[in-house]
Amino acid sequence: MNIFEIESYINDHSSVLTDFRAKYLNFLNRKNATRSTDKKWSTLRIEREADKAVNNFAHKSSQR
């Protein structure tokens, strides 16, 4: 299986990526809340970072 097939299979048969993304977004938002005002990330950046983490997670899962 390649990365796309695994990601498609996981999306169709499991909620692990959705759960991981939700928990990671929660983590990033909590971390962002502790930053000083001038260092806070925008919502768009938080979303992009979460997407990047999910892609890395899916990619590493496919290599096992």
Side-chain angles (χ1 to χ4, degrees):
M1 284 187 146
N2 65 33
I3 181 85
F4 302 110
E5 292 170 333
I6 289 177
E7 189 173 346
S8 176
Y9 181 84
I10 290 173
N11 285 334
D12 293 343
H13 297 93
S14 176
S15 65
V16 71
L17 289 179
T18 306
D19 294 344
F20 177 79
R21 188 176 196 286
K23 289 181 181 187
Y24 197 70
L25 275 172
N26 187 24
F27 165 76
L28 289 176
N29 282 315
R30 282 187 285 123
K31 188 174 178 181
N32 200 42
T34 64
R35 290 189 174 104
S36 63
T37 306
D38 60 327
K39 301 275 184 178
K40 286 192 184 218
W41 289 1
S42 68
T43 304
L44 182 60
R45 178 159 183 198
I46 291 172
E47 292 285 332
R48 286 182 182 160
E49 291 292 326
D51 290 341
K52 205 171 13 174
V54 169
N55 288 335
N56 286 339
F57 177 76
H59 181 69
K60 287 181 181 179
S61 296
S62 71
Q63 292 178 342
R64 293 182 182 177

